[in-house]
């Protein structure tokens, strides 16, 4: 093997002797090779190497320019879509932030405590469901009224027809005296609408509804009471929390200062003491069972469907739908009984219970007339307490007892309650 700088050897020449060519021979060979390469290039590139490179460069430049123009057009067309997506993303972030804030305000743990249980005694389940997104398209006219009347998305709502006109006047007169600005009367007939307007009382007259108009205009207390579950649905859909009030109620203090707002439904009780109002273990005795004769039961007296605070949540709206649906199918049913059955009955075979949170109001602040006339007026210490409201639900002579409550708690007449019997004797 020759070295890298060894002499050029030409095999097969001079009879295959392998002798090195002379210098002149090498020059001749180089010239021949150069000429051959020149001819080949002339044949393959008739326009010349430099011209072809320039043309290729120009063609490439045109292609790049074309692609750039197409990309620019695409960017222009995509801009509106990008703006729309950014808006949707912003709105989604807003909704997520609102939901996160509501969950934090619910008081159910902090940070990861909602998803990872903490030490014993620190874990609490979610009690306050998030509110629904308001939908003003449900009733734009009502939405405008509520925007003017409500305070912090809350207000008292009462239904009334001409049958309760005198009690209605006592009702709103005391609300005004207490200084509650956020209240509204749902007028069920033209006379009540005019009466409210003449007394500067916020009023809402519903649009004609063939299904309820006959009951609204002529129905008694129980019939009209059943309508509220249908009517209140729109208030909740619009995003407002409602303190539903019957007309036979005297307001002595602002009720919004005494609400907890930690449940879907916060209601006054028909119970007359701590046991009946807040629940107790009632032992059922069946002697024939021998060793197992004693059966423990949990009991609570019903919530009063004439005074309750309801938040705009999905379980709350479902409650209204359930009660309204049953009352339409069972016209002889009492709305208060149906209200409590749907609120309390658990899921069982063939029935899916309502998953709504609930709170019982303080029976001495939100007082029913049984508590007042059977217990409070006879107790020297309890007589000193001033309730938030008194509901004349246990007695038929409602107006007389309402006026007596005003005399006792507002005008200070200490014997104003004494001549009434405990019950409806």
């Amino acid at each position: 093997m020759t070295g890298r700088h060894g002499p050029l050897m030409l095999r097969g020449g001079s009879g295959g002797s392998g002798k090195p060519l002379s210098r002149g021979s090498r020059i001749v060979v180089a010239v021949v090779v150069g000429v051959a390469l020149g001819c080949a290039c002339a044949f393959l590139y008739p326009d010349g190497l430099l011209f072809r490179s320039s043309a290729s460069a120009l063609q490439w430049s045109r292609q790049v320019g074309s692609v750039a123009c197409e990309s620019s057009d695409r960017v222009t067309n995509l801009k509106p879509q990008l703006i729309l997506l950014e808006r949707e993303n912003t709105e989604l972030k807003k909704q997520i932030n609102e939901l996160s804030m509501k969950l934090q305000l619910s008081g159910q743990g902090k940070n990861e405590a909602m998803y990872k249980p903490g030490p014993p005694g620190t874990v609490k389940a979610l009690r306050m469901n998030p509110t629904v997104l308001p939908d003003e398209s449900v009733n734009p006219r009502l939405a405008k009224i509520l925007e003017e009347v409500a305070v912090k998305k809350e207000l008292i709502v009462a239904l009334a027809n001409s049958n309760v006109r005198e009690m209605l006047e006592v009702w709103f007169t005391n609300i005004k005296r207490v200084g509650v600005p956020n209240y509204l009367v749902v007028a069920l007939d033209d006379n009540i609408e005019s009466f409210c307007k003449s007394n500067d009382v916020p009023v809402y007259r519903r649009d004609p509804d063939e299904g309820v108009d006959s009951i609204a205009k002529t129905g008694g207390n129980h019939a009209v009471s059943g309508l509220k579950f249908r009517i209140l649905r729109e208030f909740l859909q619009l995003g407002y929390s409602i303190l539903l009030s019957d007309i036979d109620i005297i307001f002595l203090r602002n009720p919004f200062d005494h609400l907890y707002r930690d449940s879907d439904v916060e209601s006054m009780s028909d119970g007359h003491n701590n046991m009946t109002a807040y629940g107790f273990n009632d032992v059922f005795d069946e002697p024939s069972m021998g060793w197992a004769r004693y059966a423990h039961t949990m009991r609570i007296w019903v919530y009063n469907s004439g005074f309750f605070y309801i938040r705009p949540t999905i379980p709350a709206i479902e409650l209204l739908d359930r009660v309204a649906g049953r009352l339409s199918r069972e016209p002889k049913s009492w709305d208060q009984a149906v209200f409590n059955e749907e609120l309390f009955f658990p899921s069982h075979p063939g029935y899916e219970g309502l998953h709504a949170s609930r709170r019982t109001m303080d029976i001495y602040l939100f007082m029913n007339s049984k508590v007042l006339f059977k217990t409070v007026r006879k107790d020297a210490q309890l007589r000193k307490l001033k309730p938030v409201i008194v509901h004349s639900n246990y007695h038929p002579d409602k107006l007389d007892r309402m006026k007596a409550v005003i005399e006792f708690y507002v005008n200070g007449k200490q014997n104003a309650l004494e001549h009434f019997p405990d019950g409806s004797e």
Side-chain angles (χ1 to χ4, degrees):
M1 185 172 182
T2 59
R4 187 171 184 177
H5 300 287
L8 177 63
M9 301 293 293
L10 183 62
R11 298 183 180 276
S14 303
S17 63
K19 294 180 180 180
L21 296 175
S22 64
R23 182 179 180 184
S25 299
R26 292 199 300 273
I27 294 173
V28 171
V29 171
V31 170
V32 171
V33 171
V35 172
L37 289 174
C39 292
C41 289
F43 179 78
L44 294 174
Y45 304 103
D47 295 328
L49 287 171
L50 293 175
F51 180 81
R52 182 173 182 84
S53 298
S54 300
S56 299
L58 180 60
Q59 184 178 2
W60 172 254
S61 176
R62 288 175 178 173
Q63 291 177 351
V64 170
S66 177
V67 171
C69 290
E70 291 179 2
S71 298
S72 178
D73 292 340
R74 287 184 180 179
V75 169
T76 302
N77 293 332
L78 287 174
K79 278 184 178 179
Q81 300 180 28
L82 182 60
I83 294 173
L84 180 61
L85 289 173
E86 288 178 348
R87 289 177 180 175
E88 292 178 351
N89 187 43
T90 301
E91 184 63 26
L92 183 59
K93 285 182 178 179
K94 181 181 178 181
Q95 294 177 15
I96 292 174
N97 290 336
E98 288 178 354
L99 180 58
S100 177
M101 183 180 298
K102 289 172 182 175
L103 291 175
Q104 292 175 10
L105 291 175
S106 66
Q108 311 307 316
K110 298 179 180 178
N111 300 328
E112 296 182 357
M114 293 184 67
Y115 308 100
K116 181 188 291 185
T122 65
V123 178
K124 288 186 177 181
L126 184 65
R127 284 162 172 76
M128 191 170 71
N129 288 296
T131 56
V132 299
L133 293 175
D135 182 8
E136 292 190 2
S137 65
V138 171
N139 190 330
R141 185 166 66 89
L142 178 60
K144 185 176 181 180
I145 294 173
L146 296 181
E147 186 176 356
E148 296 174 354
V149 174
V151 175
K152 297 181 179 179
K153 304 288 283 188
E154 297 178 323
L155 72 158
I156 301 169
V157 174
L159 280 64
N161 61 17
S162 296
N163 292 337
V164 294
R165 175 170 173 156
E166 193 173 358
M167 281 196 296
L168 176 63
E169 185 174 11
V170 176
W171 180 84
F172 65 64
T173 298
N174 278 274
I175 287 181
K176 290 181 177 182
R177 179 185 52 77
V178 172
V180 180
N182 47 329
Y183 69 100
L184 180 71
V185 174
V186 178
L188 301 178
D189 58 47
D190 295 336
N191 289 332
I192 289 297
E193 181 183 17
S194 300
F195 179 64
C196 289
K197 288 181 177 180
S198 65
N199 285 276
D200 196 26
V201 172
V203 63
Y204 165 63
R205 181 75 164 98
R206 299 178 60 252
D207 292 331
D209 187 337
E210 294 181 1
V212 300
D213 277 352
S214 59
I215 297 175
K217 293 177 180 179
T218 61
N221 288 341
H222 283 183
V224 171
S225 183
L227 293 178
K228 58 177 170 261
F229 299 99
R230 294 179 60 176
I231 295 173
L232 287 183
R233 192 187 205 276
E234 289 185 346
F235 287 78
L236 268 58
Q237 285 181 277
L238 293 171
Y240 290 85
S241 296
I242 301 301
L243 183 58
L244 187 281
S245 172
D246 278 354
I247 300 302
D248 57 342
I249 290 176
I250 296 297
F251 287 79
L252 300 168
R253 290 196 273 171
N254 190 330
F256 294 106
D257 295 337
H258 303 275
L259 297 175
Y260 284 80
R261 302 174 178 84
D262 63 350
S263 304
D264 296 308
V265 178
E266 191 169 346
S267 178
M268 73 172 297
S269 172
D270 270 1
H272 59 93
N273 55 29
N274 288 349
M275 285 179 55
T276 56
Y278 310 137
F280 63 104
N281 182 4
D282 185 33
V283 180
F284 177 77
D285 185 9
E286 191 175 6
S288 63
M289 288 298 295
W291 174 79
R293 64 182 291 179
Y294 299 110
H296 291 256
T297 69
M298 302 309 299
R299 296 186 62 187
I300 184 173
W301 285 31
V302 296
Y303 283 174
N304 191 290
S305 63
F307 191 86
F308 59 86
Y309 178 80
I310 187 166
R311 297 175 58 248
T313 67
I314 292 298
I317 294 175
E318 183 183 357
L319 171 64
L320 298 180
D321 289 348
R322 285 186 177 215
V323 177
R326 280 191 56 186
L327 291 176
S328 65
R329 297 189 302 269
E330 308 166 13
K332 294 184 179 180
S333 295
W334 182 26
D335 69 281
Q336 181 161 294
V338 175
F339 175 71
N340 279 272
E341 289 170 3
E342 293 298 335
L343 195 55
F344 282 94
F345 281 177
S347 299
H348 56 262
Y351 176 79
E352 183 178 354
L354 179 71
H355 293 198
S357 57
R358 53 195 182 271
R359 168 181 282 274
T360 306
M361 292 177 172
D362 188 318
I363 61 171
Y364 294 109
L365 292 180
F366 300 91
M367 191 182 298
N368 63 58
S369 56
K370 181 175 182 178
V371 173
L372 175 61
F373 287 97
K374 189 175 180 180
T375 305
V376 171
R377 66 170 177 169
K378 301 174 183 179
D379 187 292
Q381 294 301 317
L382 293 177
R383 284 170 66 96
K384 297 177 183 178
L385 297 177
K386 186 175 184 178
V388 176
I389 62 111
V390 175
H391 189 181
S392 298
N393 59 312
Y394 268 101
H395 301 90
D397 49 342
K398 297 178 180 297
L399 185 57
D400 290 339
R401 295 194 184 235
M402 290 172 69
K403 292 178 179 179
V405 168
I406 296 171
E407 289 295 323
F408 181 78
Y409 285 109
V410 178
N411 299 328
K413 189 176 179 180
Q414 294 300 304
N415 63 346
L417 306 175
E418 293 181 1
H419 68 280
F420 292 97
D422 287 355
S424 54
E425 300 172 3

